[in-house]
Every structure is written in structure tokens, then in C-alpha cells.
Amino acid sequence: MRTRFTDMMNITYPIVQGAMAWVSDAQLASAVSEAGGLGIIASGGRTAQWFREEIRLAREKTDKPFGVNLVLQDPDWQDKFQVILEEKPICVSVGAGNPLPLIEPLHEIGTKIFPVVPNIRLAKRVESAGADAIIIEGMEAGGHVGNISTMALMTQILPEISVPSIIAGGIADGRGLAAALLMGACGIQMGTRFYASQESSAHINAKMAIVNATDTDSVTTGRRGSLVRSLRNELTECYHKMEDEGRPREELSQLVRGTARKAPIEGDADWGIVQAGQSLSVIRELLPVATIIEQMMKEAREATELLQSYFVE
Ligand SMILES: Cc1cc2nc3c(=O)[nH]c(=O)nc-3n(C[C@H](O)[C@H](O)[C@H](O)COP(=O)(O)O)c2cc1C
């Protein structure tokens, strides 16, 4: 399949593996890139040293394009930015913060930048500042989210933007890919679906919690701060109870401190955060990344053919 994004990135399919802090490493990213998509190594929460090693490891595992991700809320994001300037990956997706100052330095080293945007104002700002593509992420997504749905964002942003757009949030199969392309996007990004894949090095408990979950199991925490979408578990129930009791923000922060790594690394899917989006019930087993991508392409083709069959004279 060819879109402006696959042409720009020299990849086979318009499917990006979303950066996932504590989940997407060289193993997952290289598997997605080998299967024809675009893998992304997440630096969030990790050390700069780990990040550099994973970039180098991914280069050993694949000669296909892959990218990296920077979270601008990370306390040591500048150290990781320095790693990027030295390692010169093909592209960087940037979440949570103001990506504008990074555009010029990245372009100087020949690296493309894809800011993640949750609204139309930021989409227009990053486009006019020179972003190479934008990732439009709706509130259905796993992880830190805004409060506008993927459909509403596609409806409003896509007609206003001319750089290639990638849609994220609640897409987990080929019908979602076809729908995004039909709306005018150049590709999609999935996190949760790849979290629960065979190549994902996340702990089996976290992966199986995703496989066993359904639509209503995805909840958000943090209504007084930034929203985080994850699976409902002991931790989120406790968080909501404390929110209802009006407990101070520091106590809530204390409760979740360090929990982002607890589920994917230590396997505690009860008291760790299993960040996951809302499209859960179609994820029924831990499939290899290549199978996920092949199935999606087949489903997208079938959905498109079905749609065309409706247009009869
Ligand atoms: C476990 C997890 C961790 C995430 N961490 C990051 C991150 O570090 N940086 C980022 O830009 N997005 C992050 N995201 C968002 C994903 O990159 C992606 O946009 C999102 O998962 C798409 O929605 P989906 O989960 O419904 O597929 C994370 C998502 C998940 C599920």
C-alpha cells in the first residue's frame, strides 16, 4: 500500500507502532519495522544510556527504518535529546510538551519530527513551524490523553492540515486503518495492539490483562491533572476512590509514583498501571507482529471493497 507517509518513510504499510514507555524497545520496534510498518523505541522513564543502547540494538536487528520517541515531561528528556542528536535516528515522535524548539535542531541532523497533537490549535502550530508529519491522537488511546475523540479530531483536523497525518487512539484492526485513510489520513498508529503482541517484551501478566479485557475495562485517571488511560484494576479503583474523597493531589501522585513500570516490567497488573486504549475486545490473543499487520491489511482491503460495493447505480 502506498500513501504519502509510506513514500516519505520508505516503508511498506502505513502502520506505526506507537511509542510506549516501558514497553516499546528495540525488540518490538525492529519486529514492526521488519514486518513493513514503522517501529518506535520509547525513551520515557528509561535512562539515556538504555535509550542509546536500544537504538544501536535495533540497528543490528533491522536495516528497515524505525523511529524513536521523546516525552517532554520526562525529567531527563534533554539527555535523551542529546542521544538523538548523536545517534541521528530517521524520525522522532514527540509527546507531552512543546515540540517547536526541537524542529530546527532535528532538521539540521536530517531527522524528521512527528509531534503528537490532541487538538486543532496545536496541529496547525506544529505544521506551520515545520513538522514533517503529525500524529493526531484521540482520547481512546492508551497512555496520556487529551479529551477529544479520534473521530472528532479526524473530522476537524484533517481538512486543515497538508502534512501527512497519522491517526492514533482506539485503532486496533484493519477496519480502523481503512476508516482513517478514508477520512484523509496517511496512516495510523497503534499502541495497545502491539503491547499485546508476541514480540512485545512486556511482562506476560500485563499482556494477558489486555487480552482478557473488553471495552469498558479501559478507564482514565487524573481528572484534576493530565488524563491517563489504562485498564481498570486495584490501582485505578483506589485512585478513583481517593479522587471522590477529594484527597490532595500530592497523595494521588504518591499513589501512582513508579507504577508505570510495575505492570510491564515487574508483572504487577493489579497495582501497576497497564496503560491501554479502549479498543480491547478485538485483541483476543498474543499474535506475532507480522500476523497482526498482515491481518490488518487484509481487513482494510475487505472493508474498502465492501464500501465500494455500496456505490451501485
Ligand atoms: C503502554 C503505553 C505507553 C505509552 N507511552 C507513550 C510514550 O512514552 N510516548 C508517547 O508519545 N505516547 C505514548 N503512548 C501512546 C501511544 O504511542 C499511542 O499513541 C497510543 O497507544 C494509541 O492508542 P491505542 O493504545 O488505542 O492504540 C503510550 C501508550 C501505551 C498503551
Side-chain angles (χ1 to χ4, degrees), residues 5 8-9 38 91-94 112-116 132-133 135:
F5 188 72
M8 180 172 92
M9 296 309 297
L38 182 72
C91 59
V92 182
S93 67
V94 185
K112 293 186 167 38
I113 173 166
F114 309 151
V116 181
D132 299 279
I135 298 170

Side-chain angles (χ1 to χ4, degrees), residues 140 170-173 175 192-193 196 207-218 231 276-287 295 299:
E140 297 93 321
I171 296 176
D173 64 14
R175 293 166 305 149
T192 308
R193 183 82 210 242
K207 296 206 284 189
M208 288 314 293
I210 292 175
V211 168
N212 293 327
T214 187
D215 52 0
T216 49
D217 293 326
S218 175
L231 295 187
Q278 286 184 314
S279 291
L280 292 160
S281 64
V282 294
I283 307 174
R284 298 206 172 96
E285 56 183 325
L286 302 177
L287 294 173
Q295 278 183 0
E299 288 160 0

Side-chain angles (χ1 to χ4, degrees), residues 18-21 69 71 137 140-142 168-170 189-192 195 275 277:
M20 290 177 279
N69 174 259
V71 178
E137 190 190 64
E140 297 93 321
Q189 166 166 297
M190 298 191 303
T192 308
Y195 190 149
Q275 298 182 60

Side-chain angles (χ1 to χ4, degrees), residues 174-227:
R175 293 166 305 149
L177 167 62
L181 297 177
L182 182 68
M183 292 295 288
C186 294
I188 58 100
Q189 166 166 297
M190 298 191 303
T192 308
R193 183 82 210 242
F194 287 124
Y195 190 149
S197 67
Q198 272 185 18
E199 290 88 341
S200 156
S201 44
H203 197 284
I204 188 72
N205 294 355
K207 296 206 284 189
M208 288 314 293
I210 292 175
V211 168
N212 293 327
T214 187
D215 52 0
T216 49
D217 293 326
S218 175
V219 297
T220 55
T221 46
R223 62 181 179 233
R224 276 184 281 157
S226 66
L227 286 177

Side-chain angles (χ1 to χ4, degrees), residues 125-174:
R125 252 180 96 198
V126 298
E127 176 179 58
S128 58
D132 299 279
I134 58 171
I135 298 170
I136 299 171
E137 190 190 64
M139 61 177 292
E140 297 93 321
H144 289 262
V145 288
N147 45 26
I148 306 178
S149 73
T150 301
M151 179 56 88
L153 288 174
M154 286 198 286
T155 301
Q156 296 169 90
I157 300 181
L158 290 172
E160 302 279 337
I161 292 292
S162 50
V163 289
S165 300
I166 301 300
I167 307 301
I171 296 176
D173 64 14

Side-chain angles (χ1 to χ4, degrees), residues 25-60:
D25 54 8
Q27 180 172 301
L28 181 60
S30 62
V32 172
S33 292
E34 275 293 294
L38 182 72
I40 297 194
I41 298 172
S43 64
R46 307 283 194 164
T47 63
Q49 171 76 5
W50 177 92
F51 186 39
R52 189 190 299 277
E53 284 166 8
E54 291 297 305
I55 295 173
R56 293 184 178 175
L57 186 58
R59 284 189 176 133
E60 283 170 26

Side-chain angles (χ1 to χ4, degrees), residues 197-258:
S197 67
Q198 272 185 18
E199 290 88 341
S200 156
S201 44
H203 197 284
I204 188 72
N205 294 355
K207 296 206 284 189
M208 288 314 293
I210 292 175
V211 168
N212 293 327
T214 187
D215 52 0
T216 49
D217 293 326
S218 175
V219 297
T220 55
T221 46
R223 62 181 179 233
R224 276 184 281 157
S226 66
L227 286 177
V228 177
R229 179 173 294 288
S230 66
L231 295 187
R232 181 200 316 279
N233 62 7
E234 303 278 357
L235 181 70
T236 63
E237 295 285 288
C238 181
Y239 193 102
H240 287 145
K241 188 164 165 282
M242 285 170 66
E243 267 185 332
D244 290 344
E245 290 166 1
R247 303 276 274 273
R249 195 180 274 202
E250 304 78 65
E251 274 187 44
L252 293 167
S253 308
Q254 181 62 32
L255 178 70
V256 294
R257 192 157 298 141

